[in-house]
Structure formats: structure tokens, C-alpha cells
Amino acid sequence: MLKTNNCIDLSNLTLGKSIILAGWVANRRDHGNLIFLDLRDQSGIAQVVIDADINEELHKMAKSIRNEWVIQISGIIRERPEGSENPKLPTGYVEVITHDLTILNESITPPFEINDDITVDESIRLKYRYLDLRRIRMSNILALRHNVVKFIREFLNKRNFLEIETPILIKSTPEGARDYLVPSRLYPSEFYALPQSPQQLKQLLMVSGIEKYYQIARCFRDEDPRSDRQPEFTQLDLEMSFVEQEDILSLTEELYFNLVKEIVPHKKIVSPFPRITYADAIAKYGTDRPDTRYDLKLHDLTTLLSNSEFNIFKKIINNKGIIRGFTAPNAAHYKRKDIDGLIDFAKTYGSQGLMWIAIDETTSNNIEEDSIRSPIKNHVPFTEILQIASELNANPGDLILIVAGTEKITNLTLSALRAEMANRLDLIDTSVLAFTFVTDFPLFEWDDEIKKWKSLHHPFTSPSDDQLEKLQISPESITSNAYDLVCNGLECAGGSIRISNREMQEKIFEILGYTNQEIQSQFQQLLTAFDYGAPPHGGIAGGIERLVMLLSDTDNIRDVIAFPKTQKFIDPLFESPSKVTQEQLAELHLETIEKDNE
RNA sequence: GGGGCUGUAGUUCAGUUGGUUAGAAUAUCGCACUGUCACUGCGAAGGUCGUGGGUUCAAAUCCCAUCAGUCUCGCCA
């Protein structure tokens, strides 16, 4: 080795010990005859001193050294002189006095400064990702991610799970997300697809008699970008035989709880994880992935207002819409401008608008007619406003926000508003990881565009046992054995107890509108396997990136991936995607079509 | 596929109502300096104002197109 120790070790070693360090020059402070270097390696930073009185040759060499040069120094650990300690550094009470120095490599001036405090345009960071990752913050996140995956592996290995790799080149199936395709050279006009998840493969492993499987699995989905999405991502994929929902939930809880305790002990986490049904989650939060770090629960006003004379309410209710709202505490001071901002915000989710009632503080501490400010004040009697306020537990000083419209858009808008107000009112304790299980998902939802039933989870999810008779009659009312683990408003993991018999699986495909031929071509391998004795089984899959994001307090998925793509799915480092040669295309029996500029 | 914001020195940004030589900080380069750690002091260099077109006597500034980054709606079983 070119080094005997890491920089961070410095403070733990005995004074006077002779050591060799190697790393990058993070900073140089030249005081003439005395030069200080901050030497950075993966572990951290150590101060190195070069004194002209000790060795003039070395001192001359050190004069030429610049940031990001790679050097090796040997020297002796010593205490810093009194008054020159630096409490900001873990190694700030000691330093290395240099007796020998080798320049291992020089560096040109980097395109941005390598320290944690900078903000640099992301395309530049990604183009020079190898420099970006030299920042301590970035390498710490990589280490955190490593520790997460390591913990998961050790946790599951201890419980006799087998880690099994499944193919990356599999078969395209049109349901779900768009596939990434890989052309076959040996079979003209035929393609492999990259897995969106190893779903069918892990179920086949269950039929194989592997009773406990897991995989840190790479998944690929060719969907449009979002700030928390990448075209390829990693999931903890796990599946077990002979289990019921409770077994998966308790295993998942134990895993995530212990993982948090071990890896980010400073985070607050509640155990047992609260559980909420899908229906309750929608009712209270307007979404199936509620952020439970703050209250702001939604309340339904549809029944209360069913006899209202106010035209807007009447119309919504007659059209089978809903009216719902919540109270933003101590927000009555919101100015017209703030509220207009909220209205615009609400409209981006498709709602027609946003009704608001500001209740000013009164001397009597009661809600008085004069203390109400609201655009609906002149259309709705005061008693009705009082009823609304009472239903929403609103008090003087609060701001009531109400959305009316179709169920879907109203809930979507309110859940977004809820998060927005929590942010604005600073109601979120960022040190909390609020894990919650959401259970009893509906099995199907109606897709009005293609006029078909769609699986809410996926088509292999089993319906709840006690509801099988409703399967044909009212598919919308049937719940499933599907569950999600939600944390701070993010879906962290999702899974289900699967269907493990052929007849049931075929019945579900039928309801989903698959033709016999489609079933045959896409799922025959699974259905045939079920003919040979499939064990009851179920599992869960959790996103690794999202988990690491939660643990490392970043809302940028690119921060938790070593070499991510931009939000347009471009890699600025390799400049991919890229053109390939005509020879490569010919070999794959492909031709490209130039896109017209219409 | 739709919408918002951004693009000016290596980097992060300012740039007024369209008007003289486009500024600051930091990084870089040079000199000085023995206790700094955002070292300090003095000096220097550094610009296709994303790109293309248009309006104008005059464009970083106004208009159109385009590219890139980011956020977002749809989409992501």
C-alpha cells in the first residue's frame, strides 16, 4: 500500500507515530516558509504541514502543489500548537509534520470547487461526476447506500433467504410500464425486454420450491421522467412461500425499523408502524401514500352541504361530485396574494378552483360573522359557515380550504394542498421517519380511457378471500391482499399475497380484458407452472433509491446514484444515448428512421 | 405529450427604462508572508451574455425559433 493510514484515523493514533498518507490536496494555505495542506481521502481530511526549516527541497516542491493533485506524504503525528486547533475538523487537534513528499499525479484546475458548500449546475456535476463524487457529502451518501444494502442482505441472510439473480434479458409484456427493448442479433425482428421488475420470475422461484427469495434487483421502465425517477432503479425484491399478509408485514416492519435504528440512529421512528386501510387513507389524506408527519386531516362536507342553496355546491353534488376540505391552523393572516397562489396551485391538479374561509381572531374568541372573510360569504348563510367550521374543527385564526369536484381530482388536489400548507406553515419535523402501512387496496380500478378494468397493484395480486363472490358482479368493490409501506408521503415498498392457482389467475385476466391469445403469449409460463403445485406465496418490493433519499435527507434521486442520468434521461458523462454504426444496426437487422420536422 | 422557471467570466450570481469599456464574489496565475484552516496583503488575467434569426440608430435586455438544465401535470399495472 502507498499509505499506512487513512486521514480520519489521525486523531486516534498516538502522537509521535510515523505514518504515510496519500490522497488529494483539498486546500493549500501558503505562509511563506510554512505551508499547510488539507489532505483528503475517502475517509476525511487531515492537515499536513510542510516546514522550510525541516527540509528546504520538500518545501520547494510543496510550493508547486495545487488543489486536487494526488500526493503521498510521510511524516509524524503531532499535536497542534495551543490556539491553532480547529474544532470544526474531526482531526482538528493534530497534524502531520512532513518528512517526505511524493507527487503521484498532478491535476488541472477542476471545473468547480470540490467542497460540500457549493451549488453547481447539475449537468456540470454529472459531466464531471468523478469530481462531484469526491465531495465528502456525495461519498457519504454512496457509503450510506452501501450500508443499507449490506444491512438488508445480512438481515435476510440471517433468516435463511436465498439471494437469487434473475435475467436482465427477458420478454416484453405490454401491460404496465413501457419496456426497454434489446434487439436480438440471432433472431431477426425479435427482441428481448429489460425487466420492469422480476415479478413473474420470483413467483416461478416459489413454484421451484425456493421458500424465501430476495434480490437487490435492477429494474427498467421507459416512462417519462420525474424528479424522483430514473429509467433504471434498484429494488429490494423479496418473496416467500406459505405466508399470509401478516407475515410479510411483520418481516418488512422488522427490516425497516432495525435498518433505521442501525444506520440513521438520529432519526425518529415509531414502532409498531401505524396501519391504515386504503379507504381510510383516501378519506383522511386524499392519497394512498399519506405523509403522517403532520395532521391537517381532510373532512368530508358533502353530506353536510347536501341541502345547501349555494349554486356551486348544488351543482357539484348533483353531478355526484364531492366537497371536502381541511383547516390550516393559524393561517387566517394569509394575504390575497398568498391565497391566489394557492388557487393557482390547486388548478394545476385539475380542480376548478379553491374555496377559502379565513376566520380572523376576535376579542370574544368566538367565530363572529364579522370575523369571516371568504368569497362564499355572500352566497352561504352564516350558520352554514359555522357548520363547516365546526366540521373542520376550525377556530379563530385559522384558514379553511375547500375543494369541490369529482372525487379523484378533489382528493388529488387536497392531498397536494395539504403537503403544500404543511411546508408553508412549517409543520414538518424533518427528523421523523413516519412509516405507515396502507392495506386493503381495491383489486381493480376502472380506466375510463380504455374502458377496461385495471389492476391497482398488478394482475397477480389475490383478491380478499371473503369477497370472491363479488368478483364477477362488482369488481370495483372488491379489496385485495395488497399492501404498501409509506414513509413521509413516499411509497417506500409495495407487495401482495399472490394468486397461486390457475383458475383464479385466469379469471382475473379475463376481468382485465385479456384475450385467450394474450394470456397464452404473455403468461402461459406462469399458468403452466401453477398446474404443477404452486405454494401459496406473497412478497414485497421496496425502492432502494427512495429509501436512501429518505435516510440521507435529499429530495434528489440523482444524489443517491453514482452515475445517474439527467431528468431527460441523458448521461452527460458518456453522452448516452448515442448513435451507433451502420454495421451494428445491420447486424441487428435494424434500420433507423429520421424523425421529420413537422 | 402539456405547462412553469433558469441559461451572462472556470464556478455562483448581479446587470435599472434597450444607450459609454458587461460587474461582484470565488476559483485561477504572479509576488510577499512561520500557525493557517473561507489564511491574509498587493497585483494580473479571464466574456461567442446557451445557439440561430428578427425588431431597432443601438439588444445581455424586446420578439420568434431552437438547444440544455430543472420543477411540474399527464404517464409510471
Side-chain angles (χ1 to χ4, degrees):
Chain A
M1 287 292 288
L2 299 181
K3 56 203 273 187
T4 58
N5 292 91
N6 292 322
C7 290
I8 201 77
D9 298 337
L10 216 59
S11 45
N12 300 325
L13 296 170
T14 43
L15 299 174
K17 186 178 157 66
S18 158
I19 60 168
I20 304 173
L21 296 177
W24 289 262
V25 175
N27 195 12
R28 184 178 70 107
R29 293 177 293 279
D30 187 341
H31 286 249
N33 282 334
L34 197 62
I35 296 175
F36 300 96
L37 298 178
D38 285 343
L39 189 68
R40 182 190 65 237
D41 64 15
Q42 200 194 324
S43 70
I45 283 178
Q47 174 164 285
V48 166
V49 187
I50 294 126
D51 190 337
D53 291 347
I54 290 183
N55 186 328
E56 206 160 319
E57 275 303 300
L58 280 191
H59 179 260
K60 207 180 277 174
M61 208 196 297
K63 278 252 179 232
S64 71
I65 287 176
R66 292 296 180 270
N67 283 358
E68 300 311 318
W69 286 27
V70 186
I71 62 170
Q72 179 194 41
I73 63 113
S74 57
I76 291 177
I77 305 173
R78 69 179 189 196
E79 213 164 7
R80 295 197 190 184
E82 209 180 323
S84 70
E85 303 90 348
N86 181 1
K88 284 187 241 166
L89 278 183
T91 59
Y93 294 88
V94 288
E95 62 190 12
V96 181
I97 180 73
T98 307
H99 289 279
D100 201 5
L101 168 65
T102 309
I103 294 169
L104 298 173
N105 237 325
E106 299 183 5
S107 168
I108 59 173
T109 305
F112 50 84
E113 289 166 64
I114 309 216
N115 68 57
D116 285 353
D117 308 324
I118 52 157
T119 50
V120 181
D121 190 80
E122 260 197 281
S123 57
I124 297 168
R125 285 176 54 196
L126 293 184
K127 181 171 179 183
Y128 299 95
R129 188 60 157 178
Y130 41 86
L131 298 180
D132 194 34
L133 294 178
R134 277 185 199 169
R135 295 159 59 198
I136 306 269
R137 170 173 178 267
M138 294 304 289
S139 65
N140 281 349
I141 293 178
L142 291 183
L144 175 73
R145 182 170 174 155
H146 162 81
N147 288 330
V148 166
V149 172
K150 180 176 158 216
F151 183 93
I152 290 171
R153 285 205 161 101
E154 285 171 358
F155 180 94
L156 295 172
N157 292 347
K158 233 181 277 168
R159 286 158 182 78
N160 298 320
F161 279 78
L162 292 191
E163 181 175 12
I164 297 174
E165 292 181 78
T166 53
I168 293 296
L169 295 174
I170 58 167
K171 179 172 175 170
S172 176
T173 53
E175 91 287 358
R178 201 176 290 112
D179 282 324
Y180 278 100
L181 297 176
V182 180
S184 159
R185 174 179 60 86
L186 296 176
Y187 301 94
S189 317
E190 298 192 357
F191 294 82
Y192 300 98
L194 307 181
Q196 296 173 26
S197 85
Q199 182 60 37
Q200 286 195 59
L201 293 156
K202 70 174 173 180
Q203 291 193 242
L204 290 170
L205 284 172
M206 294 302 107
V207 182
S208 311
I210 305 297
E211 294 183 28
K212 292 175 166 185
Y213 144 91
Y214 81 95
Q215 181 179 193
I216 307 298
R218 197 62 73 83
C219 304
F220 306 85
R221 293 179 192 174
D222 190 5
E223 285 302 331
D224 283 356
R226 275 295 173 82
S227 59
D228 59 351
R229 278 186 217 157
Q230 285 272 299
E232 53 180 305
F233 58 96
T234 307
Q235 283 195 336
L236 161 64
D237 192 45
L238 79 83
E239 195 81 4
M240 297 165 79
S241 292
F242 309 113
V243 287
E244 297 172 306
Q245 173 165 319
E246 194 51 44
D247 301 307
I248 303 287
L249 295 191
S250 61
L251 177 86
T252 304
E253 174 160 346
E254 206 186 331
L255 169 61
Y256 279 81
F257 181 80
N258 287 305
L259 187 150
V260 167
K261 282 282 168 217
E262 161 108 7
I263 293 178
V264 283
H266 54 283
K267 288 278 186 189
K268 294 180 206 143
I269 179 172
V270 173
S271 164
F273 294 172
R275 298 187 185 186
I276 187 172
T277 64
Y278 174 89
D280 265 1
I282 298 290
K284 288 184 182 148
Y285 304 102
T287 174
D288 59 3
R289 45 183 178 87
D291 190 337
T292 54
R293 286 176 298 176
Y294 49 90
D295 201 31
L296 304 186
K297 287 201 187 72
L298 310 184
H299 292 266
D300 197 89
L301 301 169
T302 319
T303 317
L304 178 72
L305 299 171
S306 57
N307 294 319
S308 174
E309 292 297 315
F310 184 34
N311 240 334
I312 294 181
F313 290 159
K314 259 185 171 168
K315 218 159 132 191
I316 295 286
I317 291 171
N318 286 340
N319 289 329
K320 293 194 174 140
I322 58 169
I323 305 165
R324 315 190 64 196
F326 68 96
T327 296
N330 305 313
H333 62 276
Y334 256 49
K335 300 215 166 50
R336 189 67 221 199
K337 207 177 96 189
D338 302 315
I339 290 176
D340 284 346
L342 288 179
I343 293 172
D344 287 342
F345 179 84
K347 283 181 178 166
T348 63
Y349 295 89
S351 86
Q352 294 294 309
L354 171 69
M355 282 174 270
W356 54 275
I357 304 170
I359 310 172
D360 289 331
E361 310 256 12
T362 57
T363 45
S364 67
N365 236 2
N366 292 321
I367 301 176
E368 291 163 16
E369 189 151 8
D370 288 348
S371 65
I372 299 289
R373 285 176 295 116
S374 171
I376 67 171
K377 189 177 178 181
N378 296 328
H379 305 90
V380 175
F382 179 57
T383 51
E384 206 166 295
I385 288 183
L386 280 180
Q387 284 176 324
I388 293 173
S390 149
E391 182 68 31
L392 298 182
N393 303 321
N395 295 305
D398 295 348
L399 175 70
I400 293 173
L401 298 173
I402 298 169
V403 176
T406 65
E407 196 173 335
K408 197 175 165 190
I409 285 176
T410 302
N411 283 330
L412 178 70
T413 307
L414 281 167
S415 71
L417 270 171
R418 198 179 152 262
E420 177 71 12
M421 291 312 293
N423 259 317
R424 290 190 183 202
L425 299 172
D426 202 19
L427 301 177
I428 301 176
D429 180 349
T430 53
S431 66
V432 169
L433 291 173
F435 284 97
T436 304
F437 281 117
V438 181
T439 60
D440 298 274
F441 277 79
L443 187 59
F444 301 113
E445 63 179 344
W446 180 252
D447 186 329
D448 213 35
E449 255 176 52
I450 54 171
K451 306 289 176 201
K452 274 184 183 173
W453 291 107
K454 271 172 51 177
S455 293
L456 204 72
H457 189 55
H458 58 50
F460 315 109
T461 302
S462 60
S464 302
D465 285 343
D466 54 345
Q467 304 184 357
L468 293 178
E469 74 281 2
K470 289 196 273 183
L471 204 52
Q472 305 286 9
I473 317 147
S474 55
E476 74 285 349
S477 69
I478 201 168
T479 60
S480 66
N481 297 312
Y483 34 79
D484 276 0
L485 178 63
V486 169
C487 183
N488 297 0
L490 290 176
E491 185 194 326
C492 221
S496 62
I497 300 299
R498 325 297 181 189
I499 296 164
S500 52
N501 104 7
R502 180 175 196 131
E503 285 70 40
M504 176 61 75
Q505 188 65 71
E506 283 179 335
K507 200 179 285 178
I508 299 292
F509 285 143
E510 197 183 299
I511 294 172
L512 291 171
Y514 287 99
T515 64
N516 278 340
Q517 204 195 343
E518 283 167 339
I519 295 172
Q520 197 55 34
S521 73
Q522 288 168 36
F523 305 111
Q524 57 79 21
Q525 63 284 341
L526 188 69
L527 292 171
T528 306
F530 283 176
D531 285 339
Y532 291 94
H537 61 283
I540 194 163
I544 297 294
E545 283 86 3
R546 279 189 190 166
L547 179 59
V548 177
M549 284 165 73
L550 282 168
L551 303 186
S552 60
D553 293 313
T554 176
D555 52 8
N556 183 343
I557 193 173
R558 295 174 293 275
D559 280 353
V560 303
I561 299 174
F563 296 100
K565 302 192 174 44
T566 68
Q567 208 193 53
K568 293 269 164 66
F569 290 177
I570 282 170
D571 172 2
L573 177 53
F574 283 86
E575 296 185 328
S576 70
S578 64
K579 299 241 190 304
V580 296
T581 65
Q582 282 306 315
E583 288 73 22
Q584 285 174 291
L585 287 177
E587 210 167 38
L588 296 169
H589 325 284
L590 291 179
E591 282 179 15
T592 57
I593 301 168
E594 292 299 324
K595 200 175 166 189
D596 299 344
N597 295 322
E598 284 174 44

